[in-house]
Amino acid sequence: MKNIVITGGAGFIGSHVVRLFVNKYPEYNIINLDKLTYAGNLANLKDIENKPNYKFVKMDICDFEAFYQLMQDEKIDGIIHLAAESHVDRSIKDPFTFARTNVMGTLSLLQAAKLYWESLPEKYEGKRFYHISTDEVYGALEMTHPEGVEPPFTTTASSTEHHLAYGTEFFYETTKYNPHSPYSAAKASSDHFVRAYHDTYGMPTIVTNCSNNYGPYQFPEKLIPLFINNIRHRKPLPVYGKGENVRDWLYVEDHARAIDIIFHNGKIAETYNIGGFNEWKNIDLIKVMIKTVDRLLGNPEGSSEELITYVTDRAGHDLRYAIDSTKLQKELGWEPSLQFEEGIEKTVRWYLDNQEWMDNITSGEYEKYYEEMYKGR
Ligand code: NAD
Ligand code: DAU
């Protein structure tokens, strides 16, 4: 494979994937295709924008004609598809946009790729359509625990030694889909379309479902960058419900490494779960963040806990996510490279050192949106 389109490359995870591929594979032509919605930011890629193997194309993934033309002009062999509407709270307010981009956009890419690849003498030989999805499609897990054992407890379910879990069940590649939010319903639907294109037309597809990512360049509507920025500005930290929900956190560069390994070595038509075996209750994670930010800003450690404000819960808020990524670890040899404490320290330092990046996003229009979002909560 030589000519590769990465969709959503100006977003959070996409920018890390683009950077990795551009730097690691000078022999590939990497095309970053992105509509530059509110979440797309070319400042995420300043360090590689002038590399000879990199090109940016501003395009909507729903624009079938334009994408079909691009496939032909650039002789595309591989597609790594990350473009999506990605924020659950926005999906609750505006589900149509999520169905349009996540479902129709994905279908549009699939159909254009099909028409182009089927027109070639070699057809699907050496081609790949890799769809990036989420653990949220599996629904939510319970906080069950063995009798007499208080969570979090050590589990042997994972191949990682220090895995602390909040429940005895995990998401496996075989877990039945059960999405609850308009975001996850749209992602689930797109996953089904991708698999249908393999089963019906023989398209060489792969799907991966990953847990919550954190790290540099994440849009500050998401928990970790939002709270780091609010602590810096002494603004309230809006904790949904009681802060009891559990998420499974993975450092974004570890996700990008997994995508690289799976794109090159993953088996066609397979699904791989990606996750760090790293479950945290929101409130505990928030306290770790507060301690770290306070220490790095020279505030008395933990003093920003006074900013914690419990607000109305997210509608349909999934209780617990926990990915089992044993298949990926065993079959393709990937494993997370960072312990969470190290990752969160790196992340907090990055946001504090890159305040200009943050301020460029949070000033102006976005400020109005943020005020609106939290009004009445
Ligand atoms: P993001 O919101 O930061 O970035 C999304 C990117 O897609 C933006 O650059 C945006 O401009 C682009 N985009 C949106 N609509 C588009 C359209 N119609 N045409 C072209 N480009 C468009 O998202 P993210 O957090 O980086 O997530 C990337 C992908 O990974 C998504 O598919 C998401 O479902 C999946 N995912 C995210 C996480 C996570 O924790 N963030 C975890 C698992 C899976
Ligand atoms: O699990 C993977 C998913 O992780 C991805 O598919 C999504 O694209 C990504 O946005 C993320 O979804 P979450 O809803 O889990 O992430 P978010 O950062 O929005 O919220 C994390 C947890 O924190 C969740 O339980 C809700 C809570 N939260 C969030 C915000 C923004 C708060 O308590 N307060 C907040 O202000």
Side-chain angles (χ1 to χ4, degrees):
M1 271 172 282
K2 275 268 174 161
N3 303 318
I4 295 163
V5 170
I6 299 176
T7 71
F12 165 47
I13 303 171
S15 64
H16 288 275
V17 177
V18 167
R19 177 176 297 100
L20 176 68
F21 273 67
V22 165
N23 287 329
K24 187 169 171 187
Y25 301 108
E27 70 278 23
Y28 291 175
N29 299 312
I30 303 297
I31 297 166
N32 171 11
L33 186 161
D34 200 296
K35 184 184 175 184
L36 298 183
T37 65
Y38 78 95
N41 186 355
L42 288 176
N44 297 359
L45 290 163
K46 271 261 162 281
D47 54 325
I48 56 114
E49 67 185 5
N50 294 321
K51 296 262 182 170
N53 61 338
Y54 171 73
K55 180 149 116 187
F56 173 70
V57 175
K58 187 171 185 313
M59 192 185 287
D60 185 336
I61 55 166
C62 299
D63 189 341
F64 169 80
E65 296 295 338
F67 186 68
Y68 181 47
Q69 193 60 52
L70 181 93
M71 291 288 298
Q72 298 171 75
D73 294 347
E74 301 286 349
K75 301 185 172 40
I76 298 301
D77 314 293
I79 298 167
I80 304 178
H81 175 36
L82 295 107
E85 290 292 338
S86 68
H87 192 44
V88 175
D89 293 327
R90 286 185 189 249
S91 81
I92 294 167
K93 292 207 162 192
D94 176 20
F96 281 99
T97 303
F98 281 69
R100 179 187 179 273
T101 294
N102 300 0
V103 185
M104 293 308 291
T106 301
L107 178 56
S108 181
L109 298 181
L110 284 163
Q111 183 64 10
K114 170 185 180 291
L115 287 186
Y116 171 61
W117 287 338
E118 284 186 349
S119 74
L120 300 174
E122 75 273 21
K123 307 228 179 278
Y124 288 123
E125 188 65 40
K127 308 292 184 278
R128 190 152 293 196
F129 190 108
Y130 177 2
H131 177 63
I132 310 298
S133 192
T134 170
D135 59 359
E136 298 200 14
V137 297
Y138 295 126
L141 295 164
E142 295 295 326
M143 305 269 232
T144 48
H145 51 93
E147 219 181 295
V149 179
E150 280 307 303
F153 53 87
T154 312
T155 167
T156 50
S158 80
S159 46
T160 307
E161 264 177 49
H162 305 292
H163 180 206
L164 288 180
Y166 281 88
T168 47
E169 289 297 316
F170 299 89
F171 294 140
Y172 303 98
E173 286 81 358
T174 49
T175 300
K176 215 173 124 210
Y177 274 29
N178 186 19
H180 297 136
S181 72
Y183 162 67
S184 53
K187 289 295 290 186
S189 173
S190 66
D191 296 6
H192 291 319
F193 269 109
V194 173
R195 294 189 179 108
Y197 265 66
H198 171 268
D199 296 350
T200 308
Y201 309 111
M203 184 178 284
T205 59
I206 293 187
V207 177
T208 55
N209 298 83
C210 188
S211 63
N212 284 63
N213 284 216
Y214 72 100
Y217 300 114
Q218 187 167 29
F219 194 85
E221 63 191 345
K222 308 279 165 66
L223 180 75
I224 291 184
L226 172 70
F227 277 36
I228 295 172
N229 195 42
N230 282 10
I231 297 170
R232 177 163 80 91
H233 291 290
R234 311 302 303 159
K235 281 190 180 172
L237 305 176
V239 179
Y240 297 169
K242 293 185 176 146
E244 299 273 298
N245 303 64
V246 170
R247 295 290 180 267
D248 182 359
W249 293 93
L250 180 69
Y251 192 66
V252 62
E253 287 179 3
D254 281 333
H255 188 188
R257 268 194 316 108
I259 290 173
D260 175 20
I261 292 170
I262 294 164
F263 181 69
H264 289 98
N265 304 320
K267 272 200 218 138
I268 300 298
E270 289 285 326
T271 298
Y272 298 90
N273 276 354
I274 309 173
F277 289 113
N278 179 42
E279 291 177 49
W280 284 80
K281 248 186 197 176
N282 288 343
I283 194 65
D284 295 336
L285 167 68
I286 289 162
K287 287 183 180 167
V288 170
M289 255 195 297
I290 288 174
K291 265 195 180 164
T292 314
V293 180
D294 278 345
R295 176 164 45 77
L296 294 175
L297 287 180
N299 299 333
E301 215 169 276
S303 60
S304 297
E305 280 191 23
E306 68 189 27
L307 297 172
I308 290 177
T309 309
Y310 291 94
V311 299
T312 311
D313 208 352
R314 176 184 276 173
H317 198 174
D318 286 335
L319 184 61
R320 171 178 172 249
Y321 301 146
I323 275 278
D324 186 298
S325 57
T326 306
K327 174 177 170 181
L328 173 60
Q329 301 203 3
K330 285 211 170 122
E331 290 185 13
L332 298 179
W334 170 90
E335 53 179 49
S337 68
L338 280 184
Q339 287 294 322
F340 187 62
E341 286 72 9
E342 203 183 337
I344 203 77
E345 172 94 18
K346 251 178 111 159
T347 303
V348 170
R349 277 185 192 279
W350 188 88
Y351 285 102
L352 296 181
D353 290 346
N354 289 275
Q355 291 179 10
E356 204 186 326
W357 177 90
M358 179 67 88
D359 293 344
N360 281 340
I361 295 172
T362 52
S363 58
E365 279 306 300
Y366 180 68
E367 204 164 6
K368 280 187 230 147
Y369 163 82
Y370 182 76
E371 304 279 305
E372 191 58 33
M373 191 73 169
Y374 286 94
K375 209 159 58 187
R377 264 213 141 123

